Amino acid sequence: MCGIIGYKGKRNASDILLSGLKRLEYRGYDSWGITAQNGEELATIKRTGKLSDFDGKLPSSHMGIGHTRWATHGGVTERNAHPHLSCDGAIAIAHNGIIENYQELRDELSAKGHVFKSDTDSEVIAHLIEEYAKEKSFKEAVRKALQQLKGSYALVAIRRNGSEIIGARKESPLVIGIGDGEWFLASDVPAFIDYTKDVVFLGDEEMAVLDRGLEIVDIGTGSPIRRPIEKVSWSAEQASKGEFEHYMMKEISEQNETMRQVLAHSDSEIMGIAKRINEAFGVFFVACGSSYHAALTASYVFSKIAKKHINVVYASEFPYYEDFLTDRTLVIPISQSGETADVMQAVKVAKSKGAKVLAITNVMGSSLMRAAHWSVMMNAGPEICVLSTKSYTSQVALLTMLAYASAGRLAEARAHIEKSVAEIERLTSAETKIKLVELASKLREKENIYVIGRGTNYPTALEAALKIKEVSYIHAEGFPGGELKHGTIALIEEGTPCIVIAPGDETHNEIISNAMEIKSRGGYIIGLSPENNEIFDFHIPIPTFGEANALLNIIPIQILSYYLAVLRGCDPDKPKNLAKSVTVK
Ligand code: AGP
């Protein structure tokens, strides 16, 4: 998954591209590059490593493209960094996606004399355009080249002596920013939100030509397409770190606000979705990672409150369920980015079987939003940190409301969530953070951390473990409280840390006895519970708010994970090998 950007206008393109790429680094940060066009000249700079390490000079111009990379084909090297150029150096492209037939295309182009400089799949696009440009206009050459590609792409392209910048997409995101006499193209809105909030979301297999005006055409037929100009609700401030050192802590600290955004969904909207869930014959939640954990949490609430069974399936596993799907099935993909390839594949399978698709996502105009029959926006604001924090609790809260609404008890859900807002403010206060820094300093050298919970706090244990491992690189595993003794308890030794999620609910006594099993084998017990307990070596007080408890219990672990990362010298916003949205299967 990578970030691409293009600019044409009155400002210095390199400045816009560099600042925009910094906003897109969460999409990939192995390497980056910029190509600036100055009439006859296409000047390209490429570097491995992070943009923030660059202190060199950039070419000045009024049009250019840029790219920040998460390596898929070809190692992390300068020559594999984008933008990629044609043989004659007259065409430059930046690409996000996977070209599945790149080897075949590369062989054909090599046979025609094209010389490749990188090991990437993307470079074939530059040479393919060059080939077609021998007989066609630049616009038609790009369109023809795109027709040959199998796989996914979001592309920006410019040429020497050209006045246009071209963007196109298929399954990977690309949004157009419309400024005053200037144009932006980017993978995501934060890249240019400082300059304009007027956007056009390109549809699948559409190409935009930005010159003196905006022209959008269908890639297959070339026929013109009209797309509305939409206003983005985010502010530039939301897409920046503000006074925080990292986006991760900023977004953790915003969770009281994201709860308010969840509560802002109208009763009619929530009840309308709940009605679709109640009328369906078979409902599937489909998601990955943290979004999957939110879905699993909700399945317990649907069972307990609405007496309804919801199937919860990893998106990558969902295609293996296709024989179970009917035209009465309701599939609910849950995805913060709305671009996760596994989720998009699951949606394709669902629709092929006639199932209806109701998406829950955080990104307006995302591929998932466009592919679904209906969609619900999380309205959590931009989440830049690779880790899902505020979007996770936003999903849990929204799904909890749907579960209660499904049982005709929406007002109760609202009450629980409203009560949780004040508690979230306490849990993200400086006082709590100081306590968690103390815990992080005790755990920073540990090699393994275990987390146990029961009921809705079993998925919380899974989410807790994911947070810890993906940002601090400490191995962590989450378990149902009753499962640890069926094998993994063999790994518990003196000092092995185990986080025990023990709310004051029906799971309390049993999870405490599971904690005792660990304690008796030397484990170091960290208790998340309303009251302290003699078996806790470290206590984090958390009140119990009925079914909204899963919202609260994860927050101290998010903060703990952040401090573990900082103390271990890891980058909380851009963990190694990860990207914010996984647009490869
Ligand atoms: C969460 O911290 C991870 N970064 C990751 O598991 C993420 O939740 C997963 O990739 C799903 O992303 P999505 O919600 O955008 O589909």
Side-chain angles (χ1 to χ4, degrees), residues 287-293 334-341 343 360-361 363 368 378 383 385-389 391-392 395 463 466-467 470 575 578-582:
C288 303
S290 293
S291 299
Y292 172 84
H293 298 152
I334 302 160
S335 172
Q336 189 284 133
S337 63
E339 301 298 342
T340 299
V343 172
I360 296 178
T361 186
V363 178
L368 175 61
M378 294 155 49
E383 187 174 68
C385 173
V386 164
L387 275 79
S388 167
T389 50
S391 61
Y392 171 75
Q395 290 165 349
E463 174 61 11
L466 177 60
K467 290 286 91 60
E470 69 175 333
L578 295 181
K580 183 60 181 172
S581 165
V582 183

Side-chain angles (χ1 to χ4, degrees), residues 55-74:
D55 59 4
K57 189 155 168 32
L58 290 167
S60 67
S61 79
H62 294 292
M63 183 163 78
I65 60 176
H67 185 278
T68 184
R69 185 171 182 242
W70 186 66
T72 51
H73 291 74

Side-chain angles (χ1 to χ4, degrees), residues 64-118:
I65 60 176
H67 185 278
T68 184
R69 185 171 182 242
W70 186 66
T72 51
H73 291 74
V76 178
T77 60
E78 269 191 25
R79 70 193 189 92
N80 286 338
H82 302 217
H84 291 294
L85 300 178
S86 52
C87 293
D88 62 6
I91 293 167
I93 65 102
H95 166 242
N96 170 33
I98 299 271
I99 307 301
E100 291 163 2
N101 61 330
Y102 83 96
Q103 194 55 58
E104 171 196 332
L105 293 169
R106 187 173 171 131
D107 294 345
E108 285 169 16
L109 289 160
S110 300
K112 290 177 181 170
H114 288 264
V115 177
F116 288 83
K117 300 184 182 69
S118 79

Side-chain angles (χ1 to χ4, degrees), residues 362-410:
N362 193 38
V363 178
M364 182 167 79
S366 61
S367 303
L368 175 61
M369 184 178 170
R370 269 200 294 279
H373 296 99
W374 312 285
S375 52
V376 185
M377 294 305 294
M378 294 155 49
N379 300 331
E383 187 174 68
I384 309 297
C385 173
V386 164
L387 275 79
S388 167
T389 50
K390 65 175 183 174
S391 61
Y392 171 75
T393 50
S394 169
Q395 290 165 349
V396 171
L398 185 55
L399 291 164
T400 298
M401 279 176 56
L402 288 173
Y404 274 82
S406 181
R409 296 167 54 183
L410 177 53

Side-chain angles (χ1 to χ4, degrees), residues 100-167:
E100 291 163 2
N101 61 330
Y102 83 96
Q103 194 55 58
E104 171 196 332
L105 293 169
R106 187 173 171 131
D107 294 345
E108 285 169 16
L109 289 160
S110 300
K112 290 177 181 170
H114 288 264
V115 177
F116 288 83
K117 300 184 182 69
S118 79
D119 309 320
T120 68
D121 54 337
S122 306
E123 189 185 351
V124 293
I125 303 172
H127 296 279
L128 206 49
I129 296 170
E130 179 181 24
E131 195 58 30
Y132 284 115
K134 289 174 183 169
E135 279 114 41
K136 297 175 182 302
S137 69
F138 182 53
K139 167 189 160 187
E140 282 307 297
V142 173
R143 191 168 73 84
K144 189 72 184 159
L146 293 172
Q147 290 173 356
Q148 313 310 311
L149 305 181
K150 294 193 180 90
S152 60
Y153 56 78
L155 180 84
V156 287
I158 53 175
R159 68 184 167 104
R160 189 187 291 156
N161 286 329
S163 61
E164 73 278 69
I165 182 167
I166 293 182

